[in-house]
Amino acid sequence: MAAVGAPTVPACVTKVALNVSCEHLLDMDTFSKSDPLCVLLMNTSGSQWCEIGRTEVIKNCLDPKFSKTFVIDYYFEMVQKLKFEVYDIDSENHSLKDADFLGELECTLGQVVSSKKLTRPLVMKDKRPAGRGTITICAEERTDNRVVEFEAAGRKLDKKDFFGKSDPFLEFYKQTATGWQLCHRTEVMKNTLNPVWKPFRIPLQSLCGGDVEKSIKVDCYDYNSSGSHDFIGSFQTTLSQIQQGSQTYAAEFECINSKKKQKKRGYKNSGVIIVKKCKIVKEYTFLDYIMGGCQINFTIAIDFTGSNGDPNTPQSLHYINPQGYNEYLAAIWSVGNVIQDYDSDKLFPALGFGALIPPTWKVSHEFPINFNPSDPFCAGIEGVVQAYQQCLPQVKLYGPTNFSPIINHVAHFGRQAVQQETASQYFVLLIITDGVITDMDETRRAIVNASRLPMSIIIVGVGGADFSAMEFLDGDEGILRSAEGEAAMRDIVQFVPFRQFQNCPQEMLAQSVLAEVPGQVVGFFNTMKLRPPHSGTPVSDLSASAPPSDVS
C-alpha cells in the first residue's frame, strides 16, 4: 500500500552535487600537518543553521581533495544559505568539540550553482582571513540516478614500504573542462602488493557525466600516515573499455609511473589493476521508495527517569505548563507532524522507559504509555500526545536510563522485515531523553546490531544535561563500535539537542532531526538491492549509453 499523504516535490526542485577541495589550510598540529574535515550547514529560515553532512577526514594534509560529495535539493525560488566549515580533527571519534577551526565560507547555493566552480578565501569566525586558505566548491546538476558498481583488485604492485610491502588505495578522477576532478577514493588495503578492495559504487554522472566514452583517470597510491602518499602508478581508460573487458573475466590495466618509465630501462609497469566487476545499476531515491509503497514505521520512546524532576513542579522537564507545553511535547509535535505523512495507517506505538509502573510498581524500560501491551498504538500524533498526558500522573519517575531494551524492541520488528523481498518496511525510532545513558555498552551493541536492519534511531535531548554520550553514538563523528570492537555497518543514529532550537520555528527542529533519515533509508535498501514494492524496474544492468530519461 503506497504511503498516504506523502509530500510531493515541487516541479522546480533540482538535485545538485557539491564537490569540495581546499588549499593552503592553516597548520594547527605541532609534529604533523592538519587533519581536515569539511562540514556543510544550510540556513533557509534566517535564524538557524542545520548540518547537512560531513566529508571524510584526510590525514596530514593542507591541500585536501574530499571524495565525499554533498547532494542537496536546489529550489530556484528560495535563498538557500550555505556554510562550509573546515576543522582540523584531533580525536579518534572525530568530535568537533576537540577540533581546531580552520576557516569557513558563507555563500548561497544559487551562487555556487551559477558559478559551477566557486573559489573563495576561508575566513575565521571574526571574519579575519584564515591565513592563505581557500576553498573550492564544484557544482553539478544530478540528473542521473544510476551508479556504477565496481569490484577491483591489484596484482604485483610496487613495494613502497621499507619494512613492509605497500598500503595501496585507488583514486578515480572525472575529466572536466578545468582538469581532473576527484570522484572516489577507495579504502586503504594494508601491507599487500595484491590488494582486493571491497565492492564500491560511484555515481555514473560523477564518474563520466553519463558518457561511457569519456576519459577516466585512476591513480594508485601507497598510503603513508604522514600524508605524503607514494605514487605507484596511473592509467586512463573509459567506462566502455572497462565494461568490455569485464564482460569475459576481468578488465586489466597496467599501472604506469611515468617517472620510473623515463629513468628505468626495460620498465614495464608498476603492477596491474584488475576490474572484476563493472555494472551500471539504477540507484533508487528516497522518493522512489516512498512513492513506490515503502512504509515508514515510526515508534516514539519517552524518558520517564527520575532525573527529569517531579512532574508536579515547574522545574521538571515533564511539567506541563498552563499553555499545555513542555519540551517532550514540543519534540513529539515537531518531529511527529513531519514523519506521520510517510506512515499510511497513522498508528504509532509509543513506549516509555525508566519508570515504576502500576500495578506491580516495578521499573520498566519498554512499557506502552497507553498501558495496553496487546495494542500499544496511538492514533496519530494527537493520540501520542493524549496518551503521554494520561500516562504521566500514573507512573513514578525512577531509573536508570537504559536505551538498549527500547532499541532491541524495535529491532525485533526490523529483523522480521529484513526477510522482505522488496523495500516495503523501514523503522524509525524517536527517543526523547534528558540525559546520561547508564547502559552504554549494551546500547552500543544494540545500535551495531540494528545497523544491519531497516532501521534508524533519532535521539532528541531535552533539558540542559551533558549530552556527550549521545554525540558519541551519532556516527557522524566516526564509526561506532560495540564494546567488543564490532563496527556498525552504517550510521543510523542522529542526535539533536532540543534547546538549540527553542527559539526557532518548529519545522527547524524537524528539519535537523530528520535530515539524515532519507539517506539512511536509501543506503540500506540500495545495499540490500531491494527495489520499491510497486516499481517495475529491477536493480539490474542498464544501458550506460541510454540518456537518463530512458531509465524507467
Side-chain angles (χ1 to χ4, degrees), residues 229-454:
H229 309 308
D230 295 320
F231 180 66
I232 294 176
S234 178
F235 65 90
Q236 291 185 31
T237 183
T238 65
L239 191 56
S240 176
Q241 289 173 349
I242 300 175
Q243 283 186 305
Q244 288 172 13
S246 59
Q247 278 177 356
T248 51
Y249 166 65
E252 296 193 356
F253 302 92
E254 291 185 326
C255 244
I256 303 298
N257 186 322
S258 56
K259 289 183 179 179
K260 289 184 71 172
K261 188 175 182 180
Q262 290 172 3
K263 294 178 181 179
K264 195 174 178 182
R265 269 188 158 186
Y267 173 81
K268 290 186 177 180
N269 58 56
S270 294
V272 175
I273 299 300
I274 307 155
V275 181
K276 297 185 285 186
K277 179 183 178 182
C278 176
K279 187 176 182 181
I280 298 173
V281 301
K282 175 174 178 175
E283 185 165 73
Y284 293 106
T285 66
F286 180 64
L287 279 177
D288 286 334
Y289 285 113
I290 294 301
M291 297 172 119
C294 177
Q295 177 67 47
I296 305 293
N297 299 285
F298 183 43
T299 300
I300 298 175
I302 300 172
D303 183 342
F304 287 100
T305 55
S307 55
N308 284 277
D310 182 354
N312 296 310
T313 64
Q315 293 75 31
S316 172
L317 292 166
H318 279 298
Y319 174 74
I320 301 176
N321 65 23
Q323 288 75 42
Y325 171 91
N326 67 25
E327 292 187 22
Y328 281 92
L329 285 169
I332 293 169
W333 277 117
S334 298
V335 182
N337 275 331
V338 173
I339 207 162
Q340 72 175 349
D341 284 339
Y342 299 99
D343 193 310
S344 61
D345 61 13
K346 305 292 189 292
L347 294 175
F348 305 118
L351 308 174
F353 60 95
L356 299 170
I357 62 171
T360 60
W361 298 108
K362 291 182 179 179
V363 66
S364 175
H365 296 291
E366 48 173 319
F367 64 92
I369 64 173
N370 66 1
F371 299 107
N372 186 351
S374 62
D375 185 11
F377 297 93
C378 301
I381 297 305
E382 296 85 353
V384 175
V385 168
Q386 186 178 15
Y388 165 72
Q389 292 170 329
Q390 293 174 353
C391 168
L392 200 51
Q394 298 184 60
V395 300
K396 294 179 181 177
L397 275 58
Y398 200 65
T401 308
N402 291 350
F403 277 16
S404 60
I406 288 281
I407 295 171
N408 290 330
H409 177 97
V410 177
H412 169 74
F413 299 100
R415 204 164 286 112
Q416 293 176 340
V418 87
Q419 309 299 325
Q420 59 196 355
E421 294 181 0
T422 60
S424 56
Q425 300 281 330
Y426 195 91
F427 296 83
V428 177
L429 169 61
L430 170 65
I431 301 175
I432 311 174
T433 183
D434 80 317
V436 180
I437 303 172
T438 49
D439 67 336
M440 178 56 88
D441 286 353
E442 291 82 359
T443 293
R444 287 164 61 187
R445 191 178 301 117
I447 292 171
V448 168
N449 291 335
S451 72
R452 296 168 176 79
L453 304 174

Side-chain angles (χ1 to χ4, degrees), residues 28-29 32-39 54-60 66 85-102 476-478:
M28 307 299 287
D29 295 344
S32 61
K33 298 175 183 176
S34 295
D35 303 326
L37 167 148
C38 182
V39 181
R54 303 180 183 189
T55 65
E56 74 276 23
V57 176
I58 298 183
K59 293 284 188 179
N60 288 303
F66 299 105
E85 295 182 339
V86 185
Y87 292 87
D88 171 28
I89 299 300
D90 290 323
S91 61
E92 289 186 9
N93 67 356
H94 298 179
S95 171
L96 296 186
K97 289 182 179 178
D98 305 321
D100 293 314
F101 183 69
L102 298 179
D476 288 343
E477 298 185 351

Side-chain angles (χ1 to χ4, degrees), residues 147-150 243 246 277-281 529 539-542:
V147 298
V148 188
E149 293 182 339
F150 284 103
Q243 283 186 305
S246 59
K277 179 183 178 182
C278 176
K279 187 176 182 181
I280 298 173
V281 301
K529 294 183 170 57
V539 180
S540 59
D541 286 301
L542 297 167

